[in-house]
Amino acid sequence: MTGLRLYKIEKLRSEIAIGQLFDRSNPAAHSVMAYPLRAVWTVNPSRLAALSAAAPAKGDRRPARCPQFLIAVPKKKIRHAVDRVQMRRRIREAYRLNRHLFPDNLPIDVAFIYVASEVLPYADVLKSVSRILNRISKTLSADTPAPLAP
């Protein structure tokens, strides 16, 4: 997505996609750890197939072309709701500032899970998110085959 704000289409809301993301038997789901965050990500096969198919019929919903994300701050780790909301906001802002590391047209689903048991400063979260996004983009660029030279 272009612009500085986060759009609603960038939020991962599909229960099926979230289930596939956290399914332990799914070989396409990958995990990356950078304290205080853990990220689980995959290229969504259903959105990828829908994007490569013909244009949808009138009235059908179009699949999102952009990466979608989800943030989880467990109550077991951070007990107070105020602190959970604060950490969610920090993670969301760090993602917003670093989302340019992803290709815009690839349907990637990413879930950020907060694993620390105390509220950490924004600088630590920013560094962790940028490390995670760099690792994911390196993995994506390594998986795509190089174009053939004529």
Side-chain angles (χ1 to χ4, degrees):
M1 299 295 311
T2 59
L4 297 176
R5 60 178 288 213
L6 285 173
Y7 295 91
K8 189 174 183 178
I9 197 169
E10 294 181 76
K11 291 182 181 177
L12 182 60
R13 300 180 313 257
S14 168
E15 289 182 22
I16 295 170
I18 294 169
Q20 289 173 348
L21 196 60
F22 290 106
D23 185 13
R24 291 183 187 261
S25 64
N26 185 3
H30 305 281
S31 180
V32 177
M33 177 76 181
Y35 188 81
L37 293 172
R38 180 176 151 246
V40 180
W41 66 276
T42 187
V43 176
N44 191 322
S46 59
R47 281 197 296 149
L48 190 61
L51 288 174
S52 62
K58 188 174 181 179
D60 287 346
R61 289 178 37 143
R62 302 191 79 194
R65 302 183 79 87
C66 61
Q68 292 183 336
F69 73 101
L70 150 75
I71 298 170
V73 181
K75 188 175 182 179
K76 191 172 187 178
K77 297 288 184 177
I78 306 290
R79 296 297 300 168
H80 299 286
V82 175
D83 295 334
R84 286 195 304 274
V85 170
Q86 181 182 32
M87 291 313 303
R88 242 189 327 269
R89 286 180 178 169
R90 288 178 180 178
I91 295 167
R92 191 180 309 125
E93 178 66 9
Y95 174 77
R96 184 187 71 83
L97 293 175
N98 289 299
R99 68 181 171 185
H100 64 276
L101 298 172
F102 279 146
D104 285 342
N105 56 357
L106 195 59
I108 304 167
D109 295 339
V110 182
F112 295 100
I113 301 112
Y114 191 75
V115 296
S117 56
E118 67 273 351
V119 177
L120 294 176
Y122 173 71
D124 295 345
V125 174
L126 180 65
K127 188 171 22 170
S128 175
V129 169
S130 62
R131 252 196 260 145
I132 287 171
L133 296 181
N134 278 325
R135 287 182 192 167
I136 293 173
S137 63
K138 283 180 185 176
T139 304
L140 287 172
S141 63
D143 287 347
T144 56
L148 298 175

